[in-house]
Amino acid sequence: MGRLRAPLFITRHVLIALVVGGVGGVLFMTFLLEFDHYTSSNAFCTTCHSMSYADESYRQTVHYNSASGVRASCGDCHVSEGVFAATWDHAIGSKDLFKQIFGPDYDDPVINALHLPEAAFAARKWFQKRDSATCKRCHTLEAIQGKRADTAAIHREETDGKSCIDCHYNLVHRQVPDASTFKREAWNRMVEEEFALEPGTAERLMSAH
């Protein structure tokens, strides 16, 4: 029986390159997994002070205080599944970090509240584009029962062509109207009243950015 021989192109240098490439690939994938895990955590997201406002409202909802003990984190809702999709989301999301550093002072509660609708609309589009895939990681349509007698029937019979976010868009963070009915002037007046500001302050602050 003849002795098996490696193909001629498998030289010592090729073997070294394969080993180095393999180890490098494993290390790179490990880095991506750890990077995505860390940057999807609430602890990381709330390092920006402006995100503390979103965190406050989140802690008042069942996504934080569920009877089952299941707690959805920022990443559970806002980061796609899979290391490459998650990495892509973080790469695209880095624009928010750019805005945090160079944009308006989102740490200011008034500025934050004034710009909140645009952030909410962008997040809703993100969910719609992915057919609410992150919602469906935890929620199974066929298993939804709800507390109302007709909850299961509504989800079974009236959800064709709809994504979760089409109906459930004010579950976790401060309520913002649907984009189709949103009125900037009314929102500005509401923010001014909430923070006891002089009329017209909202427009002045918005025009400054």
Side-chain angles (χ1 to χ4, degrees):
M1 187 173 179
R3 185 178 176 184
L4 291 176
R5 299 175 64 94
L8 294 178
F9 67 87
I10 303 297
T11 64
R12 185 174 62 178
H13 293 92
V14 171
L15 281 174
I16 293 173
L18 288 174
V19 170
V20 171
V23 172
V26 170
L27 291 175
F28 180 66
M29 289 301 297
T30 302
F31 167 77
L32 285 184
L33 287 170
E34 291 299 320
F35 174 80
D36 289 327
H37 177 72
Y38 175 68
T39 54
S40 297
S41 67
N42 292 10
F44 175 82
C45 293
T46 53
T47 53
C48 287
H49 185 262
S50 63
M51 294 307 296
S52 63
Y53 304 119
D55 186 58
E56 287 175 8
S57 55
Y58 152 72
R59 287 173 181 268
Q60 306 304 314
T61 70
V62 294
H63 282 80
Y64 183 80
N65 291 308
S66 69
S68 65
V70 176
R71 178 169 291 171
S73 69
C74 302
D76 288 332
C77 300
H78 294 286
V79 179
S80 299
E81 189 172 14
V83 62
F84 293 113
T87 302
W88 175 253
D89 285 341
H90 284 121
I92 296 299
S94 62
K95 70 178 187 309
D96 295 334
L97 181 60
F98 183 87
K99 291 180 179 177
Q100 174 74 31
I101 297 173
F102 300 104
D105 183 11
Y106 295 110
D107 292 349
D108 184 317
V110 175
I111 298 296
N112 198 290
L114 287 172
H115 287 271
L116 178 62
E118 285 72 25
F121 300 152
R124 291 169 189 173
K125 286 182 179 178
W126 185 89
F127 277 92
Q128 289 172 329
K129 187 176 180 181
R130 290 157 180 77
D131 191 21
S132 303
T134 53
C135 304
K136 296 173 182 175
R137 284 196 294 212
C138 295
H139 301 282
T140 302
L141 179 62
E142 293 76 15
I144 293 175
Q145 297 300 319
K147 296 181 179 178
R148 297 183 307 175
D150 57 351
T151 297
I154 290 173
H155 283 84
R156 187 172 56 250
E157 300 167 5
E158 300 180 18
T159 56
D160 284 348
K162 293 182 179 178
S163 184
C164 305
I165 195 65
D166 291 332
C167 299
H168 304 287
Y169 51 78
N170 276 322
L171 289 179
V172 179
H173 301 300
R174 176 172 174 162
Q175 293 197 354
V176 173
D178 184 80
S180 62
T181 59
F182 176 71
K183 304 295 183 185
R184 166 51 69 182
E185 185 176 347
W187 185 267
N188 288 353
R189 299 291 83 77
M190 183 190 70
V191 173
E192 288 174 346
E193 183 176 344
E194 177 180 341
F195 292 95
L197 302 174
E198 294 291 330
T201 302
E203 280 77 5
R204 178 175 58 78
L205 292 173
M206 291 293 289
S207 63
H209 305 288

